[in-house]
């Protein structure tokens, strides 16, 4: 659990974002996708692991079309409480702008849950999402030879939920 960087970047007197997490008993690990209108509009993709939300910023948003390879930049771990955060981060603060929940639900790794951190260290995590907008199998794959620091790809994997047509998360209404 490492929220040091998260806390260092924020002044909790100024921002309504949650400060710490209070993990409680749940059915399974959660995921959340937040639409974040900051200096640049983007989506934040977060998976619960190791008591925090492992987080990636996805400029184009996730896709349900397996042909899309969406850049996902690994950012600092966020507290579990962040999964329910929506609102305004005041100007002058880190990530200033509007956060809206675009999708949330539970997720399930293809391997044993205890091996998730190892999978992330190795740079390949295959998993399923259980929700209306994002459903079925996905993979996160680290770009090892890339100019983008902490660059990963978020890719929909073939399954009955995939779509063949162009998928633009910005045009998909939040099912939240
Ligand atoms: Mn963000």
């Amino acid at each position: 659990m490492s929220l040091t960087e998260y806390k260092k970047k924020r002044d909790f007197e100024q921002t309504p974002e949650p400060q710490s997490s209070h993990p409680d008993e749940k059915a399974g690990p959660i995921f959340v996708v937040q639409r974040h209108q900051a200096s640049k509009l983007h989506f934040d993709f977060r998976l619960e692991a190791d008591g925090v939300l492992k987080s990636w910023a996805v400029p184009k948003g996730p896709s349900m079309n397996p042909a899309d390879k969406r850049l996902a930049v690994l950012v600092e771990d966020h507290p579990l409480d962040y999964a329910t955060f929506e609102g305004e981060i005041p100007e002058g603060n880190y990530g200033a702008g509007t956060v809206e929940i675009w999708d949330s639900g539970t997720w399930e790794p293809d391997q044993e849950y205890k091996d998730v951190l190892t999978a992330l260290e190795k740079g390949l995590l295959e998993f399923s999402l259980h929700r209306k907008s994002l459903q079925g199998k996905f993979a996160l794959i680290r770009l090892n030879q890339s100019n983008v620091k902490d660059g990963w790809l978020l890719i929909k994997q073939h399954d009955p939920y995939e779509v063949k047509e162009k998928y633009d998360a910005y045009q998909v209404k939040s099912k939240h």
Side-chain angles (χ1 to χ4, degrees):
M1 175 127 155
S2 58
L3 295 172
T4 318
E5 202 183 336
Y6 174 87
K7 287 179 179 168
K8 205 170 69 191
K9 286 178 168 170
R10 293 168 173 81
D11 177 354
F12 295 103
E13 302 282 297
Q14 300 284 325
T15 175
E17 292 166 292
Q19 189 168 356
S20 62
S21 57
H22 310 277
D24 42 41
E25 297 294 316
K26 274 184 273 63
I30 54 170
F31 83 90
V32 64
V33 182
Q34 281 149 323
R35 190 179 183 277
H36 186 184
Q37 175 68 72
S39 50
K40 277 186 184 157
L41 180 62
H42 62 275
F43 286 81
D44 291 303
F45 183 82
R46 310 187 198 279
L47 296 175
E48 175 184 358
D50 197 27
V52 293
L53 294 171
K54 297 288 169 188
S55 298
W56 290 260
V58 187
K60 289 189 168 176
S63 175
M64 287 297 289
N65 185 331
D68 294 328
K69 295 176 171 60
R70 293 292 164 81
L71 178 67
V73 179
L74 186 68
V75 299
E76 77 273 21
D77 294 345
H78 278 52
L80 290 183
D81 288 358
Y82 212 95
T84 52
F85 175 70
E86 289 192 294
E88 293 291 326
I89 303 169
E91 219 162 297
N93 290 274
Y94 182 73
T98 310
V99 176
E100 288 172 302
I101 295 171
W102 182 80
D103 201 9
S104 68
T106 58
W107 75 281
E108 186 185 345
D110 278 8
Q111 64 273 71
E112 293 277 307
Y113 182 64
K114 64 180 167 57
D115 296 329
V116 163
L117 295 180
T118 310
L120 288 172
E121 246 165 65
K122 287 184 179 165
L124 173 64
L125 178 67
E126 294 178 292
F127 57 97
S128 297
L129 299 177
H130 305 296
R131 190 51 185 164
K132 289 189 190 105
S133 300
L134 296 180
Q135 186 81 267
K137 294 172 74 63
F138 288 80
L140 273 161
I141 302 163
R142 187 166 56 218
L143 295 165
N144 289 321
Q145 285 161 350
S146 157
N147 297 328
V148 183
K149 190 181 172 285
D150 294 321
W152 292 61
L153 294 175
L154 175 62
I155 304 171
K156 178 78 188 86
Q157 298 192 296
H158 292 292
D159 69 9
Y161 300 108
E162 71 182 69
V163 301
K164 298 271 188 267
E165 61 273 18
K166 186 173 150 27
Y167 188 95
D168 180 356
Y170 291 104
Q171 303 300 321
V172 176
K173 263 199 116 157
S174 169
K175 300 268 171 52
H176 178 66

